[in-house]
Amino acid sequence: MIDFSPSATRLRRRLRHSRDRLATLLISAGGIGVIAAVLAIGVFLTLEVLPLLAPSRVTAESPARPAPPLAESVAWLRADARGGLTLLADDGRLWQGHVGETGETGMADQLDRLPAALLGGQSISAVAADASAPLLALGLDGSEVLLVPRAASGEPQWSHARRHSLFAGTPVAGLTFGSDDRHWWLAGHDRNGRVAVLRGARATDDGNLGDPPQRFTLPVSASQLALNNAGRLVVGDGQRLEVWALNGETPRHLGGVRALDSQRITALAYLVGGETLLVGDSGGGVRRWLNARGDRAPLIGAEPYSTPSQAAITRIAPLPDRRLALVLDAAGGMALYQAVAGRRWQGQAPDGEPLALSFTPDGERLWWLGEAGLTQFAIDAEHAEVSWQTLWTPILYEGHDEPQQRWQGDVSGVESEPRFGLAPLAWGTLKAAAWALVFAVPLALGAAIHSASYMSTRLRARIKPTIELMEALPGVVIGFIAGLVLAPYIERHLAGALALAVVLPLGLLLGGALWSRSPHRLRERLPLGWAGVWLVPWLALLVWLALTLSPTLETGLFAGDLRAWLQARLGLDYAARNAMIVGLAMGFAVIPTIYSLAEDALSGLPGSLGEGAQALGATRWQALWRVLLPAASPGIFSAVMIGAGRAIGETMIVLMATGNTAVMSWSPFEGLRSIAANIAIELPEAALGGTHYRLLLLSALLLFVFTFCINTLAELVRMRLKRRYRRLEAGA
């Protein structure tokens, strides 16, 4: 028996009110939690991406320290990873020590002198060495060079040093060194511009240099030299660059280029990898040249870096294991240049031209010895290769003849140049989504219009849940079927697949025309509400017809090979996994979303709208086109935009149904790589905090912002359309 007493009624009212408040709080908390989670994702991505925007800097870590001994006549300065310094004077005196925080030398500092027999009474006039060089080469003012093997730590092994003649009676003015796994090359020029080369075998583990090196004289004049580790020598003189190959039995001249129009070449240096050459001139400009392949000119010039200094470039010092170089000019300026991004920092040297400088092996510290003393600089350029230009504009990369839009972040090591262009990934994302919508939107909207406006109620009750169940198929399953079944089948029956795109629309129009002109008795037996059933045999006949006639058409129109015809006539290369396959597979995955939302929007319209239009004399088609579709357009637009968002963010289908090639092409027969698929492929292998890792998160942030903007725009358009057509519902 129900208790209707006032106290029981109040109790039930309080319980109902409490439950309502609890439900409201839970729903509000869930909504706020979703918003907070989305904002947290955006904040996390933003914080991880911000270091990419930080400018490069070269900053002095402390005031200049007093110069160590021998600074007034130093010929070579070496810094090791633990802060130790080695100074070699031009007269052979040697100082090794450690400079502390206060500028005083540590306990291990010592002053020594090379054995007199090594220098033979000569002074050091030129030095060639870098952090990875197996030899230290000292040019002497008596025309000879001293070759000193170096241990794995970089320490010179003076006891194994040898002297060799490079010129006859003239001091060595400049040296450059290069080596591979078997040989080393030493090129030098004297004060008269003559060029000579020594070629020998690499030193053994015990420091033995082996047989005496071979000596060659090149018939060319030089003021600057640069040599990479493949034996490619670039000789600069005046405005020209001449290129020689030293990796054969004898040097070979590969050709030359005119590098400058009016200025003179004043500095040359190869960056790590030996493919990028930086050229400084007397006007303060720096330009990048790349090694060419084949029978082309030996060097390919990139666009000059912007905003050159006004003073002549005096020195280009490459950083170890990084595509960066410190550039000095005659006015005391110093700048940091990155191979593809150009100048990333500019400042002023502490005291003009340095007496000597040296980088630590990791390239993060610079020791500068000048008139004012010894200064240590910190080089903060972790993401120097990232700029708006390198991300979105074509760049001339190593190994290419023309500027390219490329993404290749997972390089094997410092010898390979990374390519961080986001444009191909953005293009691939939009291309995959566009082809998916081309396939999905006509089918999904056509099915929604037919089921909402023409299909019988009983058939609609079975068809709609079946189509909606398609959304439960995992993307990985669809991608697996597309990559392993659909792609090979279409590759074997390309002509038939393309014929279907023509035969099916024309066949459906023909079927509609035949149905409208069929006898009334037949039309009663084939009601329009069941067209989805009785059209199946007709569609099957069209598919069979297209596939059966396609070999004949391919033989008659395309010489029996459609793929070869596309390549020869239209320049279209057909890849087995391409954008068309992605469009078919991803369109299949998007159809249920667009269909369900569009069908709900059409079914939710008042029945009086269509009935009123037909009562005023409109046909069913006119009522649909002029009244129902405009009234349902907000919901239909939302359905298409949500489907587009699903297509843009899809990962597994794109990952498995394309070749994942980051190329920019309009052709539907070529592959692509989307942002989402690229993140799935490369993020697990990216080094935490590195440039590659942060650029992947930047692409995720761009995808996040793009999707947010598209959804916001879709909602604004939907609300505007809803207000515009609300009067139709009100009038109904």
Side-chain angles (χ1 to χ4, degrees):
M1 181 177 179
I2 301 176
D3 187 3
F4 291 101
S5 62
S7 59
T9 302
R10 286 194 299 270
L11 179 61
R12 287 194 296 272
R13 187 180 299 114
R14 284 197 299 270
L15 290 175
R16 184 167 56 250
H17 182 65
S18 299
R19 288 194 296 268
D20 290 344
R21 292 187 59 186
L22 179 61
T24 301
L25 289 175
L26 290 176
I27 294 173
S28 301
I32 294 173
V34 171
I35 296 174
V38 173
L39 291 178
I41 293 173
V43 170
F44 167 76
L45 293 176
T46 302
L47 292 178
E48 290 294 323
V49 167
L50 281 179
L52 291 175
L53 307 179
S56 300
R57 295 187 300 271
V58 179
T59 55
E61 294 193 323
S62 61
R65 300 164 171 138
L70 318 181
E72 71 284 352
S73 59
V74 65
W76 178 57
L77 171 65
R78 172 181 172 267
D80 62 28
R82 295 175 292 180
L85 296 177
T86 300
L87 271 72
L88 178 64
D90 55 13
D91 59 0
R93 289 180 297 163
L94 186 68
W95 177 86
Q96 292 178 303
H98 183 88
V99 178
E101 295 292 336
T102 62
E104 298 179 355
T105 58
M107 296 295 294
D109 67 296
Q110 56 182 345
L111 190 63
D112 201 353
R113 177 181 290 275
L114 299 184
L118 288 182
L119 297 183
Q122 305 178 57
S123 298
I124 300 173
S125 58
V127 179
D130 58 51
S132 60
L135 291 177
L136 170 65
L138 305 177
L140 307 178
D141 61 2
S143 75
E144 293 181 316
V145 293
L146 183 65
L147 300 179
V148 186
R150 302 176 72 177
S153 62
E155 194 71 22
Q157 298 176 293
W158 303 106
S159 60
H160 295 284
R162 291 185 181 180
R163 276 193 300 141
H164 299 279
S165 176
L166 191 61
F167 297 103
T170 56
V172 179
L175 291 175
T176 181
F177 186 86
S179 66
D180 59 14
D181 295 336
R182 296 186 301 170
H183 299 94
W184 56 263
W185 302 272
L186 178 68
H189 68 90
D190 63 7
R191 295 176 181 175
N192 298 323
R194 293 183 300 170
V195 180
V197 176
L198 294 180
R199 173 179 178 269
R202 284 180 66 100
T204 58
D205 294 338
D206 58 1
N208 186 10
L209 288 176
D211 297 331
Q214 296 176 284
R215 179 182 177 277
F216 304 96
T217 301
L218 303 184
V220 66
S221 178
S223 60
Q224 301 293 330
L225 297 174
L227 179 62
N228 69 4
N229 287 335
R232 192 180 183 98
L233 174 66
V234 179
V235 179
D237 187 39
Q239 288 86 32
R240 289 192 61 81
L241 295 173
E242 301 292 336
V243 183
W244 292 76
L246 307 180
N247 54 0
E249 293 297 327
T250 58
R252 292 180 296 110
H253 184 228
L254 301 181
V257 295
R258 184 179 179 87
L260 300 172
D261 294 329
S262 57
Q263 307 295 337
R264 294 180 295 102
I265 298 172
T266 56
L268 291 179
Y270 266 113
L271 299 185
V272 62
E275 294 291 332
T276 296
L277 176 73
L278 295 187
V279 179
D281 60 50
S282 57
V286 179
R287 187 169 179 179
R288 178 178 182 237
W289 291 80
L290 302 181
N291 293 341
R293 301 290 187 272
D295 298 330
R296 298 178 296 274
L299 294 172
I300 301 174
E303 289 294 325
Y305 296 129
S306 59
T307 60
S309 65
Q310 300 302 316
I313 302 299
T314 59
R315 184 168 183 176
I316 300 177
L319 273 68
D321 293 339
R322 306 176 72 179
R323 279 176 168 73
L324 293 167
L326 187 70
V327 178
L328 309 179
D329 62 38
M334 53 191 300
L336 193 66
Y337 279 80
Q338 206 280 331
V340 296
R343 192 170 68 186
R344 309 301 291 159
W345 174 86
Q346 185 176 18
Q348 198 68 22
D351 49 6
E353 188 73 15
L355 300 175
L357 58 83
S358 177
F359 298 101
T360 55
D362 58 9
E364 296 182 356
R365 295 289 185 275
L366 166 67
W367 286 99
W368 179 289
L369 180 60
E371 298 290 347
L374 190 65
T375 306
Q376 185 181 26
F377 289 89
I379 302 175
D380 184 9
E382 184 178 4
H383 311 297
E385 59 267 53
V386 178
S387 68
W388 177 264
Q389 178 185 9
T390 60
L391 291 179
W392 301 107
T393 61
I395 299 294
L396 180 60
Y397 293 109
E398 295 175 358
H400 295 274
D401 297 336
E402 300 291 339
Q404 303 280 334
Q405 296 272 22
R406 296 293 300 274
W407 171 271
Q408 187 181 357
D410 51 345
V411 296
S412 57
V414 297
E415 300 298 321
S416 301
E417 182 179 47
R419 296 159 173 82
F420 292 133
L422 291 180
L425 304 181
W427 176 260
T429 302
L430 297 177
K431 182 179 178 181
W435 280 105
L437 294 179
V438 166
F439 176 73
V441 168
L443 294 180
L445 293 186
I449 292 171
H450 179 74
S451 61
S453 303
Y454 296 98
M455 188 175 288
S456 67
T457 304
R458 188 172 63 173
L459 184 59
R460 176 176 175 270
R462 291 175 171 82
I463 294 296
K464 184 178 180 182
T466 303
I467 297 179
E468 290 176 343
L469 278 176
M470 292 167 51
E471 197 167 6
L473 286 174
V476 64
V477 174
I478 299 175
F480 177 82
I481 295 174
L484 297 184
V485 178
L486 183 62
Y489 181 84
I490 291 183
E491 185 179 14
R492 293 193 304 268
H493 305 86
L494 180 60
L498 296 181
L500 283 175
V502 178
V503 171
L504 284 180
L506 295 179
L508 288 175
L509 291 176
L510 177 61
L514 293 176
W515 183 84
S516 63
R517 288 170 173 76
S518 61
H520 182 70
R521 183 176 299 177
L522 179 61
R523 293 171 62 182
E524 286 182 347
R525 301 190 63 175
L526 298 176
L528 186 60
W530 288 82
V533 175
W534 55 258
L535 274 177
V536 170
W538 177 251
L539 292 175
L541 176 63
L542 294 177
V543 172
W544 175 83
L545 186 64
L547 295 178
T548 301
L549 296 180
S550 61
T552 304
L553 295 176
E554 186 173 12
T555 302
L557 300 178
F558 308 110
D561 192 344
L562 178 57
R563 293 180 58 181
W565 186 89
L566 290 173
Q567 175 67 35
R569 295 295 184 89
L570 304 180
L572 299 177
D573 185 20
Y574 184 87
R577 299 181 181 183
N578 51 54
M580 184 174 65
I581 303 297
V582 172
L584 293 174
M586 199 153 60
F588 182 82
V590 169
I591 281 176
T593 301
I594 300 177
Y595 166 81
S596 180
L597 296 175
E599 206 275 344
D600 289 341
L602 288 165
S603 300
L605 294 176
S608 57
L609 286 178
E611 295 171 356
Q614 293 183 55
L616 293 175
T619 63
R620 295 184 68 177
W621 171 254
Q622 290 173 333
L624 173 67
W625 186 254
R626 300 291 182 86
V627 179
L628 297 181
L629 288 180
S633 58
I636 295 175
F637 182 78
S638 296
V640 174
M641 296 310 297
I642 291 175
R646 164 76 190 278
I648 289 175
E650 180 58 49
T651 302
M652 294 309 299
I653 295 177
V654 181
L655 189 64
M656 303 179 72
T658 69
N660 289 305
T661 52
V663 296
M664 297 186 67
S665 171
W666 290 93
S667 172
F669 304 131
E670 293 189 18
L672 54 88
R673 175 177 286 196
S674 70
I675 291 177
N678 188 67
I679 294 173
I681 294 172
E682 298 188 5
L683 189 59
E685 304 297 331
L688 184 65
T691 301
H692 184 204
Y693 170 82
R694 297 192 187 280
L695 282 174
L696 291 175
L697 294 188
L698 172 62
S699 64
L701 179 61
L702 293 176
L703 189 62
F704 178 86
V705 172
F706 180 77
T707 305
F708 178 81
C709 293
I710 289 295
N711 289 338
T712 302
L713 179 63
E715 182 64 16
L716 293 176
V717 174
R718 188 187 72 83
M719 295 300 297
R720 182 175 181 182
L721 292 174
K722 187 175 181 180
R723 288 193 301 269
R724 179 179 179 182
Y725 293 107
R726 186 176 295 170
R727 64 180 185 273
L728 294 177
E729 299 181 11

